[in-house]
Amino acid sequence: MLLNFITGNRNKFDEVAAIVPGLVMMDLDLPEIQETDPKAVIVAKLKEATAHHDGAFIVEDTSLTLDCLGGRLPGPLIKWFLQTLGNDGLHELCARFGDFGVEARTLIGLAEGHDDIHFFEGVRRGTIVAPRGDKDFGWGPIFQPDGETRTFGELDREEKHALSMRGEAARKLAEFLTHG
Amino acid sequence: MLLNFITGNRNKFDEVAAIVPGLVMMDLDLPEIQETDPKAVIVAKLKEATAHHDGAFIVEDTSLTLDCLGGRLPGPLIKWFLQTLGNDGLHELCARFGDFGVEARTLIGLAEGHDDIHFFEGVRRGTIVAPRGDKDFGWGPIFQPDGETRTFGELDREEKHALSMRGEAARKLAEFLTHG
């Protein structure tokens, strides 16, 4: 079975495709609704896709929440924080509060029909540090997972897959596709 | 001419209606796209409205940008900051940076046809303070406009209209509707 991964982000696609077989990148330009609930964002995109196209689809949303912002922001708005503050700005924000705790959460939604949506989640806690390493994209260089001395930016791809929130969600999806 | 103000916010409606005659509140539930450019948010809503309804429409977006976040956040994402951090949290954020400078910007978009959109803007700079007063909604209690010793939360409605970013944008719209 072919599975369409709706994303414009080649890095995200590669990470999930390394774990889930039969994946096809589908760069539909769906509007991202302004929502802090990742499930609502994913459901809106999947319904839009299944309304106009045949097939099976996945959408992923990875959100980052800072303990210093009540553990609720930026959440799915991380894209806009990164765009405006950058990794240095995010690190400085935590430094101002003296609280570097962070949680990264990937949610993958799978739609095989219009009303049939399954979710797969992966969660990693970590610490926001000054940027280190260039092997990852986005906020990877400032995210040091708990139990690690290196940031995502310093880990090889396979090492990151093994312990990242996206890897965990992708493994749950792969398991579901294999065994139902 | 009747003019439909697309908003679910009665306070915003009342403020603009106090200045612009012939306004009708129209609570269309249009999805808010995730964008940090207010014009893009407004254009998307107006195009959605004019595609499905006849008439003239206005949409307003009021964004708040904090100097301590590079003058670019939260911007149109203020709704989510308020919802997650509250006024106390916003004030604390500024306190952590030791920078209380803030700019409030209202943009009103007017669509009389599908491709004919005019914009009217009002801008106020101010200082973020600990919450005072209950005469305003949203972040009004923590916004003290430059040149004032009171917050929006402490000003009477007419006083606020006279000096607020929304009042300024509404007066420009009223002027345009009267004299073209």
Side-chain angles (χ1 to χ4, degrees), chain A:
Chain A
M1 183 187 76
L2 287 184
L3 183 57
N4 299 289
F5 183 1
I6 305 170
T7 183
N9 187 323
R10 167 63 59 179
N11 292 303
K12 288 185 173 187
F13 178 81
D14 289 347
E15 283 196 23
V16 178
I19 293 166
V20 179
L23 222 54
V24 178
M25 186 165 165
M26 188 181 199
D27 192 1
L28 280 187
D29 190 24
L30 301 178
E32 187 144 334
I33 60 171
Q34 203 183 89
E35 255 287 356
T36 49
D37 174 15
K39 278 197 181 177
V41 174
I42 290 173
V43 167
K45 287 187 176 178
L46 286 175
K47 286 195 181 285
E48 185 70 16
T50 55
H52 299 107
H53 304 272
D54 287 329
F57 302 89
I58 63 170
V59 168
E60 80 95 55
D61 181 277
T62 296
S63 64
L64 193 76
T65 48
L66 300 173
D67 291 358
C68 71
L69 297 181
R72 298 184 60 196
L73 277 179
L77 306 176
I78 177 60
K79 179 156 68 169
W80 311 106
F81 272 64
L82 258 188
Q83 201 170 293
T84 50
L85 303 180
N87 277 331
D88 287 315
L90 281 168
H91 177 248
E92 192 195 340
L93 181 61
C94 295
R96 295 285 181 165
F97 281 88
D99 185 349
F100 299 88
V102 61
E103 188 168 283
R105 184 177 298 264
T106 293
L107 202 60
I108 296 178
L110 164 71
E112 298 181 288
H114 196 58
D115 290 315
D116 189 22
I117 297 180
H118 295 271
F119 286 100
F120 308 91
E121 189 175 55
V123 182
R124 282 299 287 178
R125 283 202 55 87
T127 305
I128 294 292
V129 299
R132 295 199 313 265
D134 56 7
K135 295 180 182 172
D136 198 23
F137 61 101
W139 42 263
I142 60 170
F143 188 94
Q144 181 175 299
D146 284 356
E148 262 294 326
T149 56
R150 293 170 297 172
T151 66
F152 279 159
E154 295 173 308
L155 293 172
D156 288 325
R157 294 305 73 202
E158 293 67 31
E159 291 176 301
K160 187 193 169 192
H161 294 165
L163 55 75
S164 82
M165 59 292 156
R166 191 172 294 110
E168 183 188 349
R171 280 187 296 277
K172 288 179 182 172
L173 167 63
E175 171 70 19
F176 177 86
L177 293 171
T178 310
H179 300 109

Side-chain angles (χ1 to χ4, degrees), chain B residues 82-96:
Chain B
L82 258 189
Q83 198 169 295
T84 50
L85 302 180
N87 277 332
D88 288 315
L90 280 168
H91 178 247
E92 193 196 340
L93 181 61
C94 295
R96 294 285 181 165

Side-chain angles (χ1 to χ4, degrees), chain B residues 15-124:
Chain B
E15 283 196 22
V16 178
I19 295 166
V20 179
L23 221 53
V24 178
M25 185 164 165
M26 188 182 200
D27 193 359
L28 280 187
D29 190 22
L30 300 178
E32 187 144 332
I33 60 170
Q34 204 182 88
E35 255 288 355
T36 48
D37 174 16
K39 278 197 179 174
V41 173
I42 290 173
V43 167
K45 288 187 176 177
L46 286 174
K47 287 195 179 284
E48 184 72 17
T50 54
H52 298 107
H53 304 272
D54 288 327
F57 303 88
I58 62 169
V59 168
E60 79 95 56
D61 181 277
T62 296
S63 63
L64 194 76
T65 48
L66 300 174
D67 291 357
C68 71
L69 296 181
R72 299 185 60 195
L73 277 178
L77 305 176
I78 176 61
K79 178 156 71 169
W80 311 105
F81 272 64
L82 258 189
Q83 198 169 295
T84 50
L85 302 180
N87 277 332
D88 288 315
L90 280 168
H91 178 247
E92 193 196 340
L93 181 61
C94 295
R96 294 285 181 165
F97 280 88
D99 184 348
F100 299 89
V102 61
E103 188 168 283
R105 184 177 297 264
T106 293
L107 202 58
I108 296 178
L110 164 70
E112 298 181 286
H114 194 57
D115 291 314
D116 191 21
I117 297 180
H118 295 271
F119 287 100
F120 308 92
E121 190 174 54
V123 182
R124 281 300 287 178

